[in-house]
Amino acid sequence: MNEAVQLARKSDLVIFVAGDNREVETEGSDRKAITLPMGQDELVKALTAANPNIVTVLVTGGPLDLRVVDQASPAILVSWFNGTEGGNALADVLLGKISPSGKLPFTFPVRLEDSPAYSLKVYPQGEHRKQDDIFVNLVDKKDAEQESGPTADYAEGIFVGYRWYDAKQVPVEYPFGHGLSYTTFDYADLQAKADDRNLHVELNLSNTGKQNGEEVVQIYASRPNSNIKRPSKELKGFQRVSLQAGETKAVKMQIPIEKLRYWDEAANGWKVEPGIVVVQVGSSSQDIRLSQATEI
């Protein structure tokens, strides 16, 4: 740490590469914590005290507890587990040759205890169960049993992922669908209407910054007057839109009505619930820019 702090004091910019690796986060086992391993929180605090001009690059395949990094680093870039060209791609983003446009495919909770599996006491577990391994059966053509680790059931039911945090009104660090850019985008002129087969959504998207970029427009649907147990909103469509600096484009999407169905347990089948649908359009599950009601 002392060597890193001394180098940080001499440098114009600190690039702090944090996260975990494929030994910490791997197939066949789950992490029992989402904190940064090996004293990385203490290291980033020391680096920031030496040089506040710091960018954190996260190497990870899943959520991390970023409460310390958020306070210490003014910029965070998630690089995931990249392949052989990952270094070149990372350099292009850090140097501004390309504007980042990725969106989070899951929620980063504030802490592990906020996640549904932990909240519902599903995981971590202490018990071990014997479970038939279907893949071994396919290869060996015979029955096989394999000792497996704890099994976590989806006890949250239909409230998987961001739906859980919405339903429980649990604050998150970074929501599903979140992602920043070197430019900014403006959403305007939403029109939503339904016919017998599709929900038609149109809007104007503008690049209001000085750099070319791409935005992922996300469409969520909610049923405010529903008598059915449903999430407060659900992602029903998305579209990546490339825009030059200052450019505006009309974005048009069609969502099949069947995507608005729910599972009727009594009838044991999918059903479309008639009534009001509120179409919500935004940059993430918690950054809704426009909304409009229509009827199906």
Side-chain angles (χ1 to χ4, degrees):
M1 184 182 289
N2 289 336
E3 182 182 3
V5 168
Q6 290 175 10
L7 288 170
R9 289 198 182 104
K10 300 175 186 176
S11 302
D12 298 320
L13 170 70
V14 175
I15 299 176
F16 175 55
V17 181
D20 49 35
N21 58 26
R22 289 179 176 85
E23 293 180 0
V24 175
E25 189 176 347
T26 184
E27 296 289 342
S29 66
D30 288 312
R31 296 172 293 162
K32 289 184 171 60
I34 60 172
T35 51
L36 288 167
M38 302 180 68
Q40 293 179 46
D41 282 343
E42 289 71 23
L43 178 55
V44 72
K45 287 191 288 188
L47 290 172
T48 302
N51 187 342
N53 193 23
I54 181 170
V55 174
T56 297
V57 176
L58 292 175
V59 178
T60 183
L64 291 167
D65 185 331
L66 300 179
R67 285 176 288 179
V68 173
V69 171
D70 271 339
Q71 295 297 317
S73 180
I76 300 174
L77 177 65
V78 183
S79 77
W80 310 112
F81 289 142
N82 280 314
T84 54
E85 288 297 312
N88 289 325
L90 181 62
D92 285 345
V93 172
L94 290 175
L95 294 171
K97 292 182 179 179
I98 187 171
S99 183
S101 61
K103 300 288 186 174
L104 289 180
F106 42 71
T107 301
F108 272 59
V110 174
R111 54 184 193 149
L112 176 63
E113 291 80 2
D114 296 332
S115 66
Y118 198 103
S119 299
L120 295 170
K121 297 183 168 63
V122 172
Y123 184 86
Q125 299 173 352
E127 66 174 311
H128 291 265
R129 308 175 185 176
K130 283 186 177 294
Q131 180 176 331
D132 194 43
D133 190 325
I134 188 172
F135 300 106
V136 173
N137 290 346
L138 290 172
V139 174
D140 294 347
K141 306 296 184 185
K142 62 183 181 180
D143 290 338
E145 285 192 347
Q146 172 176 305
E147 187 73 23
S148 66
T151 298
D153 298 319
Y154 284 92
E156 64 268 41
I158 61 174
F159 298 101
V160 175
Y162 66 90
R163 305 167 188 83
W164 165 269
Y165 299 97
D166 283 352
K168 299 297 181 180
Q169 297 183 341
V170 177
V172 302
E173 199 73 26
Y174 293 106
F176 169 83
H178 173 77
L180 300 180
S181 172
Y182 292 147
T183 187
T184 53
F185 300 96
D186 180 69
Y187 291 66
D189 308 320
L190 175 63
Q191 297 181 50
K193 59 182 179 180
D195 57 29
D196 292 339
R197 301 183 64 181
N198 295 296
L199 176 63
H200 303 270
V201 180
E202 298 183 16
L203 67 136
N204 289 323
L205 182 71
S206 301
N207 182 341
T208 54
K210 297 181 179 179
Q211 185 161 336
N212 301 339
E214 295 182 349
E215 172 70 328
V216 179
V217 177
Q218 301 164 45
I219 298 178
Y220 297 84
S222 64
R223 305 302 297 268
N225 301 321
S226 175
N227 295 319
I228 310 300
K229 182 182 178 182
R230 316 179 67 142
S232 59
K233 64 176 175 292
E234 295 179 281
L235 181 69
K236 296 301 179 183
F238 59 91
Q239 184 173 321
R240 180 177 292 275
V241 184
S242 179
L243 292 169
Q244 302 291 313
E247 184 182 11
T248 297
K249 282 185 179 178
V251 180
K252 299 181 181 181
M253 280 186 263
Q254 284 190 170
I255 299 171
I257 294 297
E258 64 182 17
K259 285 194 174 184
L260 303 178
R261 297 179 301 177
Y262 72 98
W263 181 260
D264 188 321
E265 293 186 3
N268 196 35
W270 293 101
K271 283 189 176 181
V272 174
E273 181 186 14
I276 299 297
V277 176
V278 176
V279 176
Q280 300 176 312
V281 180
S283 188
S284 82
S285 61
Q286 294 192 6
D287 183 10
I288 301 299
R289 308 290 183 88
L290 303 169
S291 65
Q292 184 177 347
T294 187
E295 189 168 359
I296 61 171

